Protein backbone atom coordinates (compact mmCIF):
# COMPACT_ATOMS: atom_id res chain seq x y z
CA UNK A 1 0.00 0.00 0.00
CA UNK A 2 2.82 2.39 0.89
CA UNK A 3 4.58 1.68 -2.40
CA UNK A 4 1.39 2.52 -4.31
CA UNK A 5 1.38 5.94 -2.67
CA UNK A 6 5.13 6.57 -2.65
CA UNK A 7 6.01 5.60 -6.24
CA UNK A 8 3.59 8.03 -7.98
CA UNK A 9 4.75 10.82 -5.64
CA UNK A 10 8.39 10.12 -6.53
CA UNK A 11 7.58 10.08 -10.24
CA UNK A 12 5.81 13.46 -9.97
CA UNK A 13 8.83 14.96 -8.20
CA UNK A 14 11.14 13.55 -10.86
CA UNK A 15 8.98 15.14 -13.57
CA UNK A 16 9.33 18.54 -11.86
CA UNK A 17 13.11 18.14 -11.77
CA UNK A 18 13.21 16.98 -15.40
CA UNK A 19 11.17 19.99 -16.53
CA UNK A 20 13.82 22.31 -15.15
CA UNK A 21 16.92 22.75 -17.26
CA UNK A 22 18.85 19.65 -16.20
CA UNK A 23 22.59 19.27 -16.19
CA UNK A 24 23.76 16.05 -17.86
CA UNK A 25 24.76 14.59 -14.47
CA UNK A 26 21.25 15.25 -13.12
CA UNK A 27 19.72 13.57 -16.18
CA UNK A 28 21.87 10.51 -15.59
CA UNK A 29 20.82 10.42 -11.95
CA UNK A 30 17.14 10.74 -12.88
CA UNK A 31 17.46 7.83 -15.31
CA UNK A 32 19.10 5.78 -12.56
CA UNK A 33 16.28 6.63 -10.15
CA UNK A 34 13.74 5.53 -12.77
CA UNK A 35 15.58 2.22 -13.08
CA UNK A 36 15.49 1.80 -9.30
CA UNK A 37 11.74 2.50 -9.26
CA UNK A 38 11.22 -0.15 -11.96
CA UNK A 39 13.24 -2.61 -9.87
CA UNK A 40 11.19 -1.75 -6.77
CA UNK A 41 7.97 -2.40 -8.67
CA UNK A 42 9.34 -5.75 -9.83
CA UNK A 43 10.20 -6.72 -6.27
CA UNK A 44 6.80 -5.53 -5.01
CA UNK A 45 5.11 -8.03 -7.34
CA UNK A 46 6.86 -10.82 -5.45
CA UNK A 47 5.74 -9.78 -1.98
CA UNK A 48 4.21 -12.61 0.00
CA UNK A 49 0.72 -12.11 1.34
CA UNK A 50 -0.79 -14.26 4.07
CA UNK A 51 -4.41 -15.30 3.66
CA UNK A 52 -6.77 -17.58 5.51
CA UNK A 53 -9.27 -19.69 3.63
CA UNK A 54 -12.13 -21.69 5.06
CA UNK A 55 -12.90 -23.57 1.87
CA UNK A 56 -15.68 -21.13 1.00
CA UNK A 57 -13.51 -18.31 -0.35
CA UNK A 58 -11.03 -17.71 -3.15
CA UNK A 59 -8.44 -15.29 -4.49
CA UNK A 60 -8.29 -14.38 -8.15
CA UNK A 61 -4.78 -14.21 -9.60
CA UNK A 62 -4.28 -12.09 -12.69
CA UNK A 63 -1.42 -13.28 -14.88
CA UNK A 64 0.90 -10.72 -16.46
CA UNK A 65 -0.50 -9.16 -19.62
CA UNK A 66 2.65 -10.23 -21.47
CA UNK A 67 2.42 -14.03 -21.54
CA UNK A 68 6.15 -14.28 -22.21
CA UNK A 69 6.67 -13.27 -18.56
CA UNK A 70 4.92 -16.48 -17.46
CA UNK A 71 7.77 -18.53 -18.92
CA UNK A 72 9.96 -17.27 -16.08
CA UNK A 73 7.66 -18.79 -13.43
CA UNK A 74 9.42 -21.96 -12.35
CA UNK A 75 7.83 -22.63 -8.98
CA UNK A 76 4.75 -22.07 -6.87
CA UNK A 77 4.96 -22.28 -3.11
CA UNK A 78 2.49 -21.93 -0.29
CA UNK A 79 1.96 -22.79 3.34
CA UNK A 80 -0.99 -24.98 4.20
CA UNK A 81 -2.37 -25.77 7.63
CA UNK A 82 -4.60 -28.78 8.10
CA UNK A 83 -6.40 -29.56 11.34
CA UNK A 84 -8.48 -32.74 11.00
CA UNK A 85 -9.99 -32.18 14.47
CA UNK A 86 -11.62 -28.91 13.36
CA UNK A 87 -12.08 -29.51 9.64
CA UNK A 88 -12.60 -32.99 8.19
CA UNK A 89 -10.27 -33.97 5.37
CA UNK A 90 -12.33 -34.28 2.20
CA UNK A 91 -11.61 -34.17 -1.52
CA UNK A 92 -11.20 -30.57 -2.69
CA UNK A 93 -9.06 -28.15 -4.66
CA UNK A 94 -6.43 -26.29 -2.68
CA UNK A 95 -5.05 -24.28 -5.60
CA UNK A 96 -6.56 -23.93 -9.07
CA UNK A 97 -4.92 -22.03 -11.92
CA UNK A 98 -7.04 -21.98 -15.03
CA UNK A 99 -10.19 -20.83 -16.69
CA UNK A 100 -12.91 -19.47 -14.41
CA UNK A 101 -15.42 -21.94 -15.89
CA UNK A 102 -13.05 -24.90 -15.75
CA UNK A 103 -13.46 -25.61 -19.46
CA UNK A 104 -9.90 -24.92 -20.62
CA UNK A 105 -6.43 -26.08 -19.63
CA UNK A 106 -5.73 -25.90 -15.92
CA UNK A 107 -3.35 -26.98 -13.18
CA UNK A 108 -3.64 -27.03 -9.44
CA UNK A 109 -3.29 -28.76 -6.10
CA UNK A 110 -5.98 -30.93 -4.62
CA UNK A 111 -6.67 -33.26 -1.76
CA UNK A 112 -7.92 -36.54 -3.17
CA UNK A 113 -8.43 -39.68 -1.10
CA UNK A 114 -6.52 -38.08 1.82
CA UNK A 115 -3.46 -37.43 -0.40
CA UNK A 116 -2.06 -34.16 -1.74
CA UNK A 117 -1.90 -34.35 -5.55
CA UNK A 118 -0.85 -32.04 -8.36
CA UNK A 119 -3.56 -32.08 -11.03
CA UNK A 120 -3.57 -30.71 -14.55
CA UNK A 121 -5.30 -30.99 -17.88
CA UNK A 122 -3.56 -29.63 -20.94
CA UNK A 123 -6.23 -30.56 -23.45
CA UNK A 124 -6.46 -34.33 -23.32
CA UNK A 125 -7.32 -35.72 -19.92
CA UNK A 126 -6.93 -35.06 -16.21
CA UNK A 127 -3.56 -36.10 -14.81
CA UNK A 128 -2.81 -36.58 -11.10
CA UNK A 129 0.68 -36.67 -9.61
CA UNK A 130 0.93 -37.59 -5.90
CA UNK A 131 3.07 -35.11 -3.95
CA UNK A 132 3.24 -36.59 -0.49
CA UNK A 133 3.55 -40.12 0.78
CA UNK A 134 1.97 -39.17 4.10
CA UNK A 135 -1.85 -38.85 4.25
CA UNK A 136 -3.03 -35.26 4.72
CA UNK A 137 -5.03 -36.29 7.80
CA UNK A 138 -1.72 -37.21 9.50
CA UNK A 139 -0.05 -33.87 8.87
CA UNK A 140 0.70 -31.88 12.02
CA UNK A 141 -1.70 -29.00 12.72
CA UNK A 142 0.98 -26.45 11.81
CA UNK A 143 1.77 -24.62 8.59
CA UNK A 144 3.27 -27.11 6.13
CA UNK A 145 5.41 -25.76 3.30
CA UNK A 146 4.38 -26.95 -0.17
CA UNK A 147 6.51 -26.16 -3.20
CA UNK A 148 5.85 -27.21 -6.79
CA UNK A 149 8.70 -26.78 -9.27
CA UNK A 150 8.65 -27.01 -13.02
Amino acid sequence: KNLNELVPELLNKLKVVEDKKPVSNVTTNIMRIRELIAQARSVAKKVQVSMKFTGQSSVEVHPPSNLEELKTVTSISLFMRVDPDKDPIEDRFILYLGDRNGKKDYMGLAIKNDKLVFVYNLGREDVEIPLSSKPVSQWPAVFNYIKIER
Side-chain angles (χ1 to χ4, degrees), residues 38-142:
Q39 288 174 5
R41 282 184 173 163
S42 175
V43 170
K45 289 180 182 178
K46 298 173 187 168
V47 172
Q48 297 180 0
V49 178
S50 299
M51 292 173 259
K52 181 177 180 178
F53 296 99
T54 61
Q56 305 299 316
S57 58
S58 66
V59 169
E60 195 169 317
V61 178
H62 298 281
S65 57
N66 180 0
L67 293 180
E68 287 296 311
E69 290 179 26
L70 283 177
K71 290 181 180 178
T72 62
V73 177
T74 58
S75 69
I76 298 172
S77 59
L78 58 106
F79 288 93
M80 183 173 142
R81 183 173 179 267
V82 180
D83 190 352
D85 296 334
K86 294 182 180 177
D87 186 22
I89 303 301
E90 53 191 31
D91 290 359
R92 63 178 149 192
F93 265 103
I94 303 301
L95 172 73
Y96 172 84
L97 298 171
D99 183 57
R100 183 177 285 188
N101 299 322
K103 295 181 180 177
K104 295 184 180 179
D105 299 346
Y106 72 88
M107 65 181 200
L109 284 174
I111 295 176
K112 190 162 187 181
N113 299 323
D114 201 22
K115 297 280 187 180
L116 184 65
V117 294
F118 179 75
V119 293
Y120 68 91
N121 185 327
L122 299 176
R124 294 198 176 167
E125 60 186 38
D126 291 343
V127 177
E128 295 179 11
I129 301 171
L131 295 179
S132 174
S133 59
K134 192 175 193 181
V136 175
S137 60
Q138 294 178 10
W139 288 9
V142 296

Side-chain angles (χ1 to χ4, degrees), residues 14-65:
L14 281 174
K15 182 76 173 138
V16 169
V17 172
E18 277 182 331
D19 289 342
K20 295 182 180 180
K21 196 133 183 142
V23 181
S24 64
N25 190 26
V26 173
T27 303
T28 305
N29 288 338
I30 289 173
M31 295 306 289
R32 178 69 182 134
I33 291 169
R34 286 191 184 277
E35 289 174 19
L36 291 172
I37 289 172
Q39 288 174 5
R41 282 184 173 163
S42 175
V43 170
K45 289 180 182 178
K46 298 173 187 168
V47 172
Q48 297 180 0
V49 178
S50 299
M51 292 173 259
K52 181 177 180 178
F53 296 99
T54 61
Q56 305 299 316
S57 58
S58 66
V59 169
E60 195 169 317
V61 178
H62 298 281
S65 57

